[in-house]
Amino acid sequence: PERNGGSTILTCLTVGVVISLVVVVVCGGAAWWVVANTKRIATDAVKTGIQNVINESELSTEDKVVVNRQIDRVADAFKQGDISLEDMGDIMTNLGESPLFVLAIVEAAGSMYIDPSELTPDEKADAHRTLERVARGIAEEKIDEAKLEAAIDGLRTTDENGQRSMKSADQVSTEELKQAIANCRELADDAAIPDEEFKLNIGEEFKKVVDQA
């Protein structure tokens, strides 16, 4: 009986130790996996979030493809350790200092406001040309971004927190749109921007910023 009791106790202890070891191994392994993969998980999450914004934007399909390819490129390089957090910071700084986002907004304004508006075909053509001239002025640093913001202020609204953002197309009246276009035309005229076609490849400009980092 004593031997059986001792055997039973020993068996219970052995099972307990094994279970404890299993728990330690499983939990330790899980913890190691999380630590080892946190960088990858976080990077993928941020990448997905940015690409969702890009895909829902008014950029052309071609620009979306190029920009998303560059985002993949940066994310993969970061996960593999080819670029550091400092390098990532440089890329963000370069993007912030470049006119890229302003140019993207100018380009998107055509499809957001002009195309669905009640302007006549001739007025729409003139409005698109005006935006092209403004985009060129921004790209060539002949038009100040602050002046552009003032010119299109009628297309913007203020939320309850005091933050300024672009109105949706149905919130912009024809008169507000015409005034914004007239303001932009004045900016282009004052900067002596030629009245000719100008197409900026947003995707390629984005790639240039990444290449510089």
Side-chain angles (χ1 to χ4, degrees):
E2 291 181 1
R3 291 182 62 185
N4 291 337
S7 177
T8 300
I9 293 174
L10 181 60
T11 300
C12 289
L13 288 174
T14 301
V15 172
V17 170
V18 171
I19 292 175
S20 296
L21 287 173
V22 170
V23 171
V24 169
V25 170
V26 172
C27 292
W32 175 86
W33 186 90
V34 170
V35 171
N37 290 276
T38 294
K39 184 176 181 179
R40 178 181 64 78
I41 294 171
T43 303
D44 287 342
V46 172
K47 181 187 76 171
T48 299
I50 295 174
Q51 290 183 327
N52 285 340
V53 172
I54 295 299
N55 291 333
E56 293 175 3
S57 72
E58 297 294 331
L59 291 177
S60 69
T61 300
E62 181 181 357
D63 283 334
K64 288 178 182 179
V65 170
V66 176
V67 171
N68 280 329
R69 186 180 298 133
Q70 294 308 307
I71 293 172
D72 284 334
R73 173 189 171 196
V74 172
D76 290 343
F78 181 66
K79 287 187 292 184
Q80 294 169 11
D82 294 332
I83 62 175
S84 64
L85 277 174
E86 183 177 355
D87 294 326
M88 293 283 280
D90 289 340
I91 292 174
M92 296 308 296
T93 298
N94 291 343
L95 286 173
E97 293 177 348
S98 77
L100 191 59
F101 291 119
V102 175
L103 291 171
I105 291 174
V106 172
E107 182 173 293
S111 56
M112 286 177 62
Y113 300 117
I114 297 173
D115 292 343
S117 73
E118 296 181 357
L119 297 179
T120 67
D122 286 344
E123 288 174 330
K124 288 182 179 181
D126 176 70
H128 278 293
R129 175 56 56 84
T130 297
L131 290 185
E132 289 177 6
R133 295 177 67 202
V134 169
R136 180 173 181 173
I138 294 292
E140 296 178 354
E141 298 183 352
K142 294 180 179 179
I143 293 179
D144 186 72
E145 293 179 19
K147 290 184 177 180
L148 174 59
E149 290 185 5
I152 63 172
D153 192 61
L155 306 181
R156 305 172 75 192
T157 185
T158 305
D159 64 20
E160 56 186 15
N161 296 317
Q163 298 297 316
R164 299 285 283 165
S165 61
M166 301 301 291
K167 294 178 180 179
S168 60
D170 58 2
Q171 293 177 313
V172 176
S173 68
T174 300
E175 289 308 312
E176 286 175 326
L177 180 57
K178 286 184 176 181
Q179 184 60 59
I181 294 169
N183 294 341
C184 287
R185 186 183 301 108
E186 183 177 354
L187 284 181
D189 289 342
D190 290 344
I193 306 300
D195 186 1
E196 59 189 25
E197 184 180 18
F198 175 77
K199 293 295 183 184
L200 182 71
N201 191 319
I202 299 294
E204 287 304 316
E205 290 300 313
F206 189 92
K207 182 178 181 299
K208 288 180 183 178
V209 172
V210 174
D211 289 342
Q212 291 172 359

